Amino acid sequence: MDQIKLDNLYKNSIILDHCRNPRNYLPISKIDFSGSAVNPFCGDEIHFNLKLNDQTIIEEVAFEGDGCAINLASGSIISEHIKGMSIESVGKFTETFRLDMQTNHLKSFDCKSEIFVLYDVRSFPIRIKCALLSVSALENLH
Ligand code: ZN
């Protein structure tokens, strides 16, 4: 039963699309902040590079990832989500999303946001770490 639900999650068209065509998967011209995270248990890896404009708004994002579909889709979706955000608000975003993912009732993002699709991962506690690896990478920005 759970395997069927997990298969459905992998077949979710948004997840699939982000895995097959990851967004922002290209190097950027200038790097102001970088952050990485690795999960040694399953081999998932995420790396973000960010370029800010002079108002400290994230103007360009480059992400690279390795590992499972949830990790890659999450990296791609989140790379789109943070584009145009101020660097200060990334901290608020990671805090909110991590809290949402670790509880079953919170949903701070509405269904019009692609972040919303990642809430389905909460039905598979072992995969929550995969969806949150991007968040860990953004928490390590320097
Ligand atoms: Zn994974």
Side-chain angles (χ1 to χ4, degrees), residues 4-5 9-10 36 42 53 57 64 67 81 86 98 103 121:
I4 293 169
K5 282 199 276 175
L9 179 64
Y10 286 124
S36 299
C42 68
N53 71 7
I57 300 294
E64 279 176 68
H81 187 78
S86 71
R98 181 179 287 285
T103 59
V121 179

Side-chain angles (χ1 to χ4, degrees), residues 56-141:
T56 70
I57 300 294
I58 299 169
E59 199 170 58
E60 287 182 58
V61 180
F63 112 87
E64 279 176 68
D66 201 4
C68 72
I70 304 297
N71 176 46
L72 292 176
S74 167
S76 176
I77 290 170
I78 288 173
S79 74
E80 283 285 275
H81 187 78
I82 61 173
K83 216 193 275 178
M85 241 182 215
S86 71
I87 192 72
E88 294 84 17
S89 48
V90 171
K92 181 70 196 152
F93 161 69
T94 56
E95 196 182 316
T96 303
F97 184 59
R98 181 179 287 285
L99 192 65
D100 281 7
M101 289 299 283
Q102 288 168 347
T103 59
N104 260 323
H105 57 285
L106 292 177
K107 283 187 179 173
S108 303
F109 300 92
D110 68 31
C111 57
K112 289 194 267 326
S113 163
E114 289 197 326
I115 295 287
F116 190 83
V117 77
L118 296 172
Y119 287 136
D120 289 348
V121 179
R122 298 192 302 193
S123 311
F124 312 98
I126 202 164
R127 312 316 297 266
I128 293 175
K129 274 198 214 83
C130 303
L132 284 178
L133 198 66
S134 300
V135 168
S136 301
L138 291 175
E139 286 164 347
N140 291 333
L141 285 178

